[in-house]
């Protein structure tokens, strides 16, 4: 049977991560023995195909048969390691014109064969290198007939489409029409009977690339995290100038029908007020509500004001709310020096963040699998992500849902028109609603919502272990929640030693205002556990009258909680609700899939590796051995390898042996030997710091230098503490807000139950000392005693991890078919 021929195209508005989709499909396709093609300029390229020409008289037409474009020589079949890798049309990907017979100029070659090396380096590029377009011709039956003809002509039998809901609707229309298109082409004698038979079924798969995160049946669309990052970078930059001049800024962000970007940006950027289409301000006139909120912030000494307006924002009467008008209101009513910044297309641009490299890679691999398994009796799929798992949902259903959600959007508007806001919000998913509530809680200075005095608590907050992105954001959130409820938030500096030194402070609303975007730990961290002097710790708990305790940190915080819980029987002061919020770049806390800080750290790793790779490629054929932190957990190294396209990855879980090293050297030699002359690239090897005590980064680097001979040179780079990241990523910040608020509610719930018991004999139940975990899409508190079963206490990591399969995948995508387990 001949190899399946897969073509991939990107369509609709560009989004970061589309290149990673194309790269993953080309690579996974080749690894699965397919021939891979790229369609340039979206559906427009599919309609134009390879044969459009223009002659001297300016006449255009289609050439048949298509001109023969030279294909670079295939890799020799006897090359054991890379036997399956083929090069494609190479340079033609980047260029559209060439001379063909008869004085005619080829206008475009839109469907090109793509090989392994054609997608080299695509990871780090923003937008879509394959090009995209909004094609009106593909919307017509004639256009789709021509598109079908072009595919059949090239012998392509599978198509992967990456785009927004419009693009996926187009894919679904194409799929459903396919049999009739083939019949028509046969009737017109444009294809042979044999071709008609061979192409009776088009295998098709969709991937959602859209910056708005507005597609149903997937939790996150490709490109949305990068767009959010761009917005947050802008807000962070504006914050400093706003504070310097005591100015107000109104930022307009994308989102005509969906306020996800504006809401997430408002949450992560620490904005004062947001306008989103789904939920207009509830007070009429809204100008009063906005001015009242901002005035209160200014009265307590806030020097800057940030208001975010989604481009589709409107008031409760559906009158558009425009940034310029918001600016006028702030200037005239509050006398603020106000500026407008419209972010526009900067939101689309730039390098994809780590998540927009990992997600499209996993989805691209899954898309190829779905195509491999497709037959006329299976549905066509859209690849999504739900509950942290890559999913397949029938394309037809996903598209129907997208149409439905557009109707729902209209219903939202209708509900708003009759001022039924609850109904309007009920159309959005629970996380969206949680985040909107979270935004109001952390951004608004409430005066009127205090709990009755007897329900109020003194809540102690401590950072433990190494700093991680999001620790400060979580603390800011907790402080603001506490103040809203009437609790007293007490920040303990420098961990347990700080507590014993009485280094603690009541935190204020304004005091934590800038903590959202701050990296590191504003409270200061320490690794010392409470058993350094458990009696003294208990007496301090008592002295300061703590009613509840939240620790934000990694494995140490988990261990500390365990110690405190075990000592509840000896010390009444520990019989209070206690909770741990996992925050560590190592992502080694058992059960939880994501700790705060791990996304920030991955982004820092990606940035560093992009720079290193550039230097490695520029200097010579250089291999960089990059050492990462992570303790005895290989998460950051593994996810980092997938996000940077590293050739090899060493983790503590798998370890390093002589056999591994011998095999890896052989592989690198073979890979460099296959590089086109003068076009060798830098390659990256990622090694977790404790993968082996013998085969250290230095040993491996020197060994590769020795073995590389004339083929390649080697250097090492230790990323060390840079991985703790500077500014926390928006994903870490919004997770911090969500988890911190949930924890505050947890503490209140348990405090309420405990309060009713007599103080002297009070024993806190086991479930009131817990770790908050993210498990798939659920947030669960696991009692700390239960956590022990899932922990490898010696190696300080969880017993099972969801990410372990990524190692083989990362190495397979680096071109090691002997490790191929793309399935
Ligand atoms: P974005 O979310 O960035 O707007 P999108 O994929 O929704 O991306 P659209 O412009 O709606 O962007 O669609 C992209 C292309 O998909 C269109 O230009 C058109 O070629 C094709 N397309 C959309 N809807 C259909 C349809 N109903 N039938 C055929 N083709 C369609």
């Amino acid at each position: 049977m001949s190899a399946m021929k897969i073509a991939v195209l990107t369509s609709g508005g560009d989004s970061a991560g589309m290149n990673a989709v194309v790269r993953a499909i080309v690579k996974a396709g080749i690894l699965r023995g397919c021939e891979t093609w790229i369609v340039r300029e979206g559906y427009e390229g599919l309609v134009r195909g390879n044969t459009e020409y223009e002659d001297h008289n300016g006449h255009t037409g289609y050439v048949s048969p298509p001109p023969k474009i030279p294909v670079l020589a295939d890799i020799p079949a006897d090359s054991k390691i890379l036997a399956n890798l083929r090069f494609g049309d190479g340079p033609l990907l980047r260029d559209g014109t060439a001379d063909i017979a008869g004085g005619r100029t080829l206008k475009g070659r839109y469907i090109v064969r793509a090989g392994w090396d054609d997608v080299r380096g695509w990871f780090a590029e923003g937008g879509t290198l394959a090009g995209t377009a909004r094609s009106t011709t593909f919307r017509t039956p004639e256009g789709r007939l021509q598109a079908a003809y072009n595919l059949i002509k090239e012998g392509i039998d599978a198509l992967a489409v990456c785009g927004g809901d419009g693009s996926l609707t187009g894919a679904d229309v194409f799929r459903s029409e396919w049999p009739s298109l083939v019949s028509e082409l046969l009737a017109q004698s444009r294809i042979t009977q044999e071709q008609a038979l061979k192409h009776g079924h088009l295998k098709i798969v969709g991937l959602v690339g859209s910056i708005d995160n507005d597609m149903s049946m997937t939790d996150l669309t490709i490109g949305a995290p990068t767009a959010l990052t761009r917005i947050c970078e802008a807000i962070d930059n504006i914050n400093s100038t706003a504070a310097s001049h005591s100015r107000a800024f109104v930022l307009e962000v994308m989102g005509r029908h969906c306020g996800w970007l504006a809401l997430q940006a408002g949450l992560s950027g620490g904005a004062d007020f947001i306008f989103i289409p789904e939920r207009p301000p509830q007070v009429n006139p809204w100008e009063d509500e906005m001015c009242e909120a901002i005035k209160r912030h200014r009265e307590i000494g806030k020097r800057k004001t940030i208001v975010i307006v989604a481009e589709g924002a409107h008031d409760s009467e559906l009158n558009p709310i425009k940034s310029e008008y918001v600016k006028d209101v702030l200037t005239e009513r509050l006398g603020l020096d106000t500026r407008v910044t419209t972010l526009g297309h900067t939101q689309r641009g730039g390098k994809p963040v780590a998540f927009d490299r990992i997600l499209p890679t996993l989805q691209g691999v899954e898309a190829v699998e779905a195509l491999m398994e497709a037959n006329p009796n299976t549905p066509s799929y859209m690849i999504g992500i739900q509950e942290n798992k890559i999913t397949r949902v029938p394309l037809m259903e996903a598209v129907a849902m997208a149409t439905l959600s557009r109707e729902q959007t209209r219903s939202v508007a209708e509900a708003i028109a009759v001022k039924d806001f609850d109904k309007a919000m009920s159309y959005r998913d629970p996380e969206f609603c949680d985040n909107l509530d979270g935004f109001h809680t952390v951004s608004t200075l409430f005066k009127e919502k205090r709990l009755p005095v007897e329900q109020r608590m003194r809540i102690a907050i401590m950072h433990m272990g190494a700093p991680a992105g999001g620790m400060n954001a979580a603390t800011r959130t907790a402080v603001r929640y506490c103040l809203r409820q009437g609790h007293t938030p007490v920040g303990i500096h420098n961990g347990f030693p700080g507590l014993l030194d009485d280094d603690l402070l009541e935190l204020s609303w304004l005091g934590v205002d800038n903590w959202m975007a701050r990296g590191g730990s504003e409270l200061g961290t320490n690794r010392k556990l409470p058993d350094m002097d458990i009696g003294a710790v208990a007496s301090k708990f008592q002295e300061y009258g703590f009613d509840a305790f939240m620790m934000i940190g990694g494995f140490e915080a988990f261990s500390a909680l365990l110690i405190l819980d075990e000592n509840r029987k000896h010390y009444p002061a520990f019989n209070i609700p206690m909770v741990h919020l996992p925050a560590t770049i190592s992502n080694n806390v058992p059960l939880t899939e994501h700790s705060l800080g791990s996304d920030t750290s991955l982004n820092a790793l990606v940035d560093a590796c992009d720079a290193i790779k550039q230097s490695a490629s520029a200097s010579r054929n250089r291999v960089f051995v990059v050492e990462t932190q992570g303790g005895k957990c290989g998460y950051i190294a593994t996810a980092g390898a997938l996000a940077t396209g590293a050739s090899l990855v060493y983790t503590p879980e798998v370890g390093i042996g002589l056999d591994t090293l011998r095999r890896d050297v052989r592989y690198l030699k073979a890979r460099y030997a296959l590089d086109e002359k003068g076009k060798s690239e830098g390659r990256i090897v990622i090694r977790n710091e404790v993968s082996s005590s013998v085969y250290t980064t230095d040993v491996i680097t020197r060994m590769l230098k020795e073995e590389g001979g004339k083929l390649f040179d080697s250097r090492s780079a230790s990323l060390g503490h840079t991985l703790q990241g500077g500014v926390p990523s928006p994903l870490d910040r919004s997770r911090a807000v969500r988890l911190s608020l949930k924890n505050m509610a947890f503490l209140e719930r348990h405090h309420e139950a405990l309060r009713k018991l007599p103080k002297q004999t009070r024993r806190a139940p086991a479930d009131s000392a817990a770790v908050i975990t993210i498990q798939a899409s659920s947030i669960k508190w696991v009692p700390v005693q239960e956590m022990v079963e899932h922990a490898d206490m010696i190696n300080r990591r969880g017993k099972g991890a969801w990410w372990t399969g990524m190692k083989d995948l990362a190495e397979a995508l680096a071109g090691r078919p002997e490790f191929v387990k793309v399935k």
Side-chain angles (χ1 to χ4, degrees):
M1 221 176 75
S2 60
M4 186 167 81
K5 293 190 181 188
I6 305 179
V8 50
L9 64 84
T10 55
S11 165
D14 66 293
S15 68
M18 281 182 160
N19 292 322
V21 165
V22 175
R23 172 187 179 271
I25 288 179
V26 167
K27 291 196 164 197
I30 291 171
L31 290 170
R32 297 287 271 131
C34 305
E35 198 175 290
T36 45
W37 298 66
I38 293 175
V39 181
R40 299 164 57 207
E41 316 300 346
Y43 288 124
E44 191 58 27
L46 209 56
V47 176
R48 292 190 186 186
N50 287 340
T51 51
E52 193 182 5
Y53 69 85
E54 186 175 328
D55 67 17
H56 292 315
N57 302 319
H59 296 136
T60 56
Y62 290 98
V63 185
S64 184
K68 178 89 184 115
I69 301 292
V71 172
L72 293 177
D74 285 356
I75 300 293
D78 60 357
S79 160
K80 276 200 188 114
I81 293 182
L82 299 162
N84 287 328
L85 311 187
R86 295 194 184 90
F87 292 98
D89 292 345
L92 284 161
L93 254 187
R94 290 167 280 278
D95 175 30
T97 57
D99 280 338
I100 54 169
R104 293 174 299 193
T105 303
L106 188 66
K107 287 288 284 179
R109 181 167 167 74
Y110 291 93
I111 307 177
V112 291
R113 196 167 146 204
W116 194 265
D117 285 356
D118 292 319
V119 289
R120 179 188 277 182
W122 280 38
F123 242 165
E125 303 266 352
T128 164
L129 291 165
T132 182
R134 303 209 190 253
S135 169
T136 44
T137 40
F138 190 75
R139 287 181 183 272
T140 64
E142 301 75 35
R144 292 193 291 275
L145 188 71
Q146 183 61 33
Y149 171 70
N150 287 331
L151 281 178
I152 294 173
K153 204 174 54 171
E154 300 295 356
I156 293 167
D157 39 19
L159 181 66
V161 174
C162 178
D165 57 351
S167 305
L168 299 192
T169 306
D172 193 49
V173 170
F174 200 38
R175 174 200 61 80
S176 64
E177 275 182 5
W178 185 261
S180 62
L181 295 175
V182 174
S183 306
E184 198 173 334
L185 287 172
L186 183 64
Q188 292 178 5
S189 305
R190 294 177 71 188
I191 58 171
T192 63
Q193 185 74 40
E194 196 189 337
Q195 281 176 312
L197 264 178
K198 185 167 177 276
H199 291 277
H201 170 231
L202 176 71
K203 297 168 183 174
I204 205 160
V205 68
L207 300 102
V208 200
S210 164
I211 66 165
D212 291 338
N213 201 27
D214 55 354
M215 188 78 188
S216 308
M217 300 180 86
T218 186
D219 292 345
L220 205 55
T221 59
I222 295 164
T226 302
L228 178 60
T229 305
R230 291 295 97 83
I231 297 171
C232 284
E233 283 165 358
I235 298 175
D236 294 347
N237 294 341
I238 280 172
N239 260 323
S240 54
T241 172
S244 308
H245 295 269
S246 192
R247 274 185 187 142
F249 273 85
V250 182
L251 250 88
E252 187 175 308
V253 305
M254 283 189 177
R256 233 166 288 147
H257 306 293
C258 182
W260 187 85
L261 281 175
L263 170 57
Q264 288 293 110
L267 196 67
S268 318
D272 294 84
F273 210 84
I274 58 170
F275 293 98
I276 58 172
E278 289 88 344
R279 188 168 203 168
Q282 296 188 41
V283 174
N284 233 339
W286 60 262
E287 291 88 338
D288 290 353
E289 186 187 356
M290 177 184 74
C291 289
E292 181 55 28
I294 290 168
K295 200 166 119 220
R296 271 196 231 153
H297 299 170
R298 289 276 171 172
E299 276 168 0
I300 60 155
K302 206 170 170 196
R303 281 181 59 83
K304 63 181 165 66
T305 301
I306 305 282
V307 175
I308 298 185
V309 184
E311 59 182 336
H314 47 71
D315 67 11
S316 57
E317 303 300 325
L318 304 187
N319 302 307
I321 296 179
K322 292 289 168 205
S323 327
E324 284 296 332
Y325 178 67
V326 174
K327 175 195 137 185
D328 292 344
V329 172
L330 292 175
T331 312
E332 284 158 26
R333 292 240 205 139
L334 300 178
L336 295 176
D337 179 5
T338 311
R339 309 291 157 105
V340 171
T341 301
T342 303
L343 293 183
H345 285 79
T346 55
Q347 294 161 86
R348 287 199 184 276
K351 271 177 16 155
V353 297
F355 206 87
D356 273 329
R357 301 178 189 211
I358 294 174
L359 179 63
T361 301
L362 297 174
Q363 291 190 335
V365 169
E366 182 66 14
V368 171
E369 287 312 307
L371 292 174
M372 295 294 294
E373 289 163 20
N375 65 51
N377 302 317
T378 54
S380 300
Y381 289 110
M382 178 190 93
I383 309 298
I385 178 167
Q386 283 173 341
E387 312 205 335
N388 202 24
K389 292 200 174 50
I390 305 300
T391 53
R392 292 181 194 182
V393 289
L395 184 61
M396 204 163 65
E397 246 175 69
V399 164
M401 281 295 288
T403 318
L404 188 68
S405 66
R406 273 202 290 269
E407 276 161 17
Q408 282 180 347
T409 309
R410 274 201 293 279
S411 304
V412 170
E414 280 158 20
I416 289 162
V418 292
K419 300 192 171 78
D420 190 349
F421 303 120
D422 290 341
K423 186 174 175 198
M425 282 304 289
S426 71
Y427 290 115
R428 291 293 180 225
D429 66 60
E431 189 171 338
F432 190 98
C433 301
D434 270 6
N435 284 345
L436 188 57
D437 282 349
F439 173 75
H440 289 306
T441 304
V442 297
S443 66
T444 317
L445 185 59
F446 291 94
K447 280 187 182 154
E448 60 288 335
K449 286 210 172 179
R450 307 267 191 276
L451 289 173
V453 176
E454 64 281 8
Q455 291 178 22
R456 298 184 193 169
M457 296 183 276
R458 278 175 69 77
I459 301 183
I461 305 166
M462 182 189 279
H463 295 176
M464 275 206 76
M471 277 182 158
N472 298 323
T475 309
R476 175 189 193 262
T477 305
V479 168
R480 293 206 160 169
Y481 180 87
C482 284
L483 295 170
R484 185 185 89 164
Q485 300 290 83
H487 304 311
T488 307
V490 182
I492 302 174
H493 293 282
N494 193 28
F496 286 100
L499 175 67
L500 299 187
D501 289 344
D502 301 303
D503 192 0
L504 51 168
L505 186 76
E506 282 185 18
L507 297 167
S508 71
W509 197 92
L510 193 61
V512 294
D513 194 42
N514 292 328
W515 287 24
M516 204 59 162
R518 292 224 180 126
S521 157
E522 288 292 312
L523 290 180
T525 61
N526 199 292
R527 289 183 192 278
K528 288 248 165 65
L529 295 175
D531 56 2
M532 61 187 276
D533 190 345
I534 192 76
V537 169
S539 91
K540 289 293 174 190
F541 266 53
Q542 199 164 354
E543 181 186 336
Y544 289 108
F546 297 151
D547 301 298
F549 184 37
M550 175 162 81
M551 272 181 292
I552 305 170
F555 212 88
E556 282 88 4
F558 161 60
S559 308
L561 185 59
L562 200 57
I563 294 168
L564 295 177
D565 182 49
E566 280 162 358
N567 279 282
R568 275 174 159 177
K569 51 185 177 289
H570 304 302
Y571 301 100
F574 297 145
N575 282 287
I576 57 173
M578 298 188 279
V579 70
H580 164 209
L581 200 174
T584 162
I585 69 160
S586 309
N587 205 21
N588 60 345
V589 176
L591 288 181
T592 195
E593 288 166 13
H594 301 284
S595 305
L596 299 186
S598 54
D599 185 63
T600 302
S601 183
L602 271 182
N603 283 326
L605 179 78
V606 160
D607 286 346
C609 285
D610 281 352
I612 286 172
K613 213 164 177 177
Q614 204 173 48
S615 139
S617 300
S619 10
R620 260 185 66 192
N621 308 340
R622 195 166 272 179
V623 176
F624 260 91
V625 183
V626 177
E627 184 176 289
T628 68
Q629 291 189 331
K632 290 206 169 159
C633 177
Y635 171 77
I636 213 81
T638 306
L642 201 61
T644 55
S647 300
L648 300 166
V649 53
Y650 297 118
T651 63
E653 285 86 349
V654 178
I656 310 175
L658 258 188
D659 289 345
T660 324
L661 290 175
R662 208 172 281 132
R663 185 194 68 188
D664 292 346
V665 164
R666 259 204 321 272
Y667 154 70
L668 280 176
K669 279 184 178 174
R671 195 66 193 90
Y672 272 99
L674 282 168
D675 279 348
E676 244 184 293
K677 216 173 163 39
K679 287 201 179 161
S680 252
E681 65 167 335
R683 291 194 164 82
I684 286 186
V685 172
I686 296 187
R687 179 186 175 279
N688 163 291
E689 58 189 354
V690 294
S691 302
S692 160
S693 55
V694 176
Y695 304 111
T696 59
T697 301
D698 184 48
V699 168
I700 294 179
T701 310
R702 281 192 285 138
M703 186 195 69
L704 291 179
K705 196 180 182 74
E706 179 72 17
E707 297 291 326
K710 288 194 178 132
L711 280 170
F712 59 89
D713 180 19
S714 72
R715 290 281 192 283
S716 66
S718 176
L719 300 185
H721 290 76
T722 54
L723 287 187
Q724 285 171 6
V727 177
S729 75
L731 281 189
D732 275 333
R733 296 189 218 177
S734 68
R735 264 185 203 140
V737 172
R738 192 148 182 253
L739 296 179
S740 188
L741 286 178
K742 298 259 178 212
N743 272 350
M744 290 299 112
F746 170 93
L747 296 176
E748 279 179 348
R749 237 180 5 256
H750 283 279
H751 176 253
E752 205 35 32
L754 273 171
R755 203 169 59 83
K756 299 194 173 116
L757 305 174
K759 208 166 183 177
Q760 294 318 310
T761 52
R762 193 179 286 172
R763 279 302 298 273
D767 64 354
S768 67
V771 182
I772 190 167
T773 62
I774 303 175
Q775 299 184 36
S777 63
S778 318
I779 290 176
K780 294 181 183 160
W781 287 272
V782 183
V784 68
Q785 295 292 350
E786 222 174 275
M787 288 286 285
V788 178
E789 293 163 35
H790 304 276
D792 174 347
M793 296 302 279
I794 294 171
N795 288 312
R796 294 160 52 86
R797 60 187 183 222
K799 277 185 181 156
W802 59 274
W803 47 265
T804 39
M806 281 190 199
K807 178 172 154 40
D808 279 352
L809 181 60
E811 294 190 342
L813 291 177
R816 308 183 59 162
E818 75 262 46
F819 295 109
V820 177
K821 270 198 216 125
V822 273
K823 219 171 168 178

